[in-house]
Amino acid sequence: MRLIEFLFPCQCVVCSKVGEYICPKCIKGIPHCLPICCVCNKLSNKGLTHSFCSNINITYFTGWYISEKMSKIFDQKKEKGNFNIHLRLFTTLLNYLKIYDLIKECHVYPLPSKDINTYKLNRILSKKIAGKRKSQNIIFIGDSLEDIEEIQKLIRGLPYSPLNIYILCLFIKK
């Protein structure tokens, strides 16, 4: 243990419990998202895009609905370059969704973002998963989906047609 960690141990950002950046009790208190279409944000079977929303089939995996207050807390940590909360939630989400094997069979990309700190976070999250570079499946990973049209442009610009397209986001902001 480093001296700084001994003097200033990490605390849960929600309840201030010492020992973790976000404790399991507080994670359970954040409401999970239902499967939705990434275009219209309405309920969808298994997170697939509706045929009337897009001609590109995308499966959208989401984690939690977060309030404006929680979003501000997480954004403050992100601005300081502290991504520990996001990494913890990312691991929790992967365990909850049980999609490790699916992701490992994909070419992994970070979600695009106009905010530099969010893009750094998205790159860190996407590097946590070692996907297959030459896979016909692709997945975009990140904090939250800002612009589905940007993703659709990226997909259309690929030199090949992906078999399966996935998006994995930690949050949907209320």
Side-chain angles (χ1 to χ4, degrees):
M1 179 184 278
R2 298 184 317 194
L3 180 60
I4 194 80
E5 291 171 348
F6 182 74
L7 295 173
F8 303 103
C10 62
Q11 292 180 306
C12 175
V13 294
V14 180
C15 70
S16 300
K17 179 181 174 184
V18 174
E20 298 184 64
Y21 291 100
I22 187 162
C23 68
K25 180 182 173 192
C26 291
I27 290 174
K28 288 179 184 175
I30 305 171
H32 272 281
C33 298
L34 295 172
I36 61 172
C37 170
C38 62
V39 177
C40 67
N41 289 331
K42 294 184 179 168
L43 285 178
S44 166
N45 189 18
K46 298 182 183 177
L48 294 169
T49 52
H50 298 121
S51 58
F52 53 84
C53 288
S54 175
N55 60 353
I56 300 173
N57 289 327
I58 301 172
T59 305
Y60 187 39
F61 298 109
T62 53
W64 297 273
Y65 292 111
I66 58 169
S67 65
E68 190 68 32
K69 179 183 173 187
M70 291 288 283
S71 179
K72 284 180 183 178
I73 291 170
F74 292 161
D75 286 346
Q76 286 173 347
K77 294 292 185 182
K78 193 174 16 173
E79 286 170 12
K80 293 177 182 175
N82 185 344
F83 304 125
N84 293 320
I85 297 166
H86 296 85
L87 291 168
R88 169 91 160 98
L89 291 170
F90 183 65
T91 304
T92 303
L93 180 60
L94 290 177
N95 289 332
Y96 175 76
L97 294 174
K98 297 180 174 89
I99 57 172
Y100 272 115
D101 293 336
L102 178 116
I103 292 174
K104 288 180 182 177
E105 294 299 319
C106 294
H107 188 120
V108 181
Y109 294 97
L111 277 170
S113 176
K114 291 178 176 83
D115 178 57
I116 189 69
N117 293 318
T118 302
Y119 186 69
K120 283 180 191 177
L121 170 64
N122 294 350
R123 286 186 57 202
I124 289 169
L125 293 176
S126 64
K127 286 181 179 181
K128 287 287 178 191
I129 301 294
K132 292 184 176 179
R133 290 241 177 244
K134 299 199 182 220
S135 174
Q136 289 290 317
N137 302 322
I138 61 173
I139 186 164
F140 294 92
I141 295 177
D143 179 54
S144 61
L145 182 61
E146 294 174 13
D147 187 4
I148 188 61
E149 292 173 10
E150 184 69 27
I151 299 289
Q152 291 171 330
K153 284 181 198 173
L154 289 170
I155 293 167
R156 287 186 195 106
L158 290 172
Y160 62 93
S161 281
L163 293 175
N164 297 297
I165 304 163
Y166 306 100
I167 298 175
L168 174 65
C169 292
L170 291 177
F171 308 116
I172 293 180
K173 296 174 182 171
K174 287 184 178 178

